[in-house]
Amino acid sequence: MKKNKTSGKRNNALKAARYGLLVALALVLSYAEAQLPVFFAFPGMKLGLTNIVVLLALYKMGSGSSMAVNILRIILVSLLFGGFSPMLYSLAGGMLSTAVMIILKKTDKFSIIAVSAAGGIAHNIGQIIVAMFVVNTSGIVWYLAVLWISGIVSGIIIGVIGAVLVKRLPQSLFD
């Protein structure tokens, strides 16, 4: 009986360590992305490097893990680098994005690249919805056209990177 308790504690510690490593990696990628010069003519466009970590969690650890890693990442990044207002936008975009990616992955009909691209689009939709409430107008919906293009392009880039990592990193690192 004691061996099972010890084994359970060890498994919990390993699981916590995996979550910690993924969240730490997401924090580093978020900080690194913030240091990149702005390449886009429109505000709010980013590559979304932290979604590499969310994809890894989704494809290697499962739906709940990807959502947990993303929530923790958003809260910590907001506390460290942002504030309350950016956290609202990030939570809306990140939760919608992760939910869409989870649903599409569960269908087994889409590649990781397509799942990532759909996540990029969903992220932008979530952020625009929050912006419509914050500024109290639906007049900014037009901005989705611009953000969808960047969401698709960045989603594809992140999806390609994620696909390579999911394929090359052994499952034993995530079990």
Side-chain angles (χ1 to χ4, degrees), residues 48-93:
L49 294 175
T50 58
N51 282 331
I52 295 168
V53 177
V54 176
L55 283 173
L56 270 175
L58 178 60
Y59 279 84
K60 292 292 192 173
M61 297 170 68
S63 304
S65 296
S66 64
M67 190 63 81
V69 165
N70 208 13
I71 290 170
L72 288 170
R73 186 257 323 161
I74 290 167
I75 291 170
L76 290 173
V77 165
S78 297
L79 290 173
L80 292 170
F81 311 122
F84 182 73
S85 183
M87 183 167 52
L88 288 177
Y89 288 93
S90 292
L91 278 172

Side-chain angles (χ1 to χ4, degrees), residues 113-161:
I113 296 167
V115 167
S116 177
I121 293 168
H123 191 276
N124 293 331
I125 291 170
Q127 289 188 322
I128 288 294
I129 290 170
V130 169
M132 287 182 349
F133 282 106
V134 168
V135 297
N136 198 26
T137 182
S138 62
I140 58 173
V141 167
W142 69 268
Y143 199 49
L144 274 177
V146 173
L147 292 178
W148 277 355
I149 294 167
S150 73
I152 291 169
V153 171
S154 64
I156 290 170
I157 293 167
I158 297 305
V160 168
I161 295 167

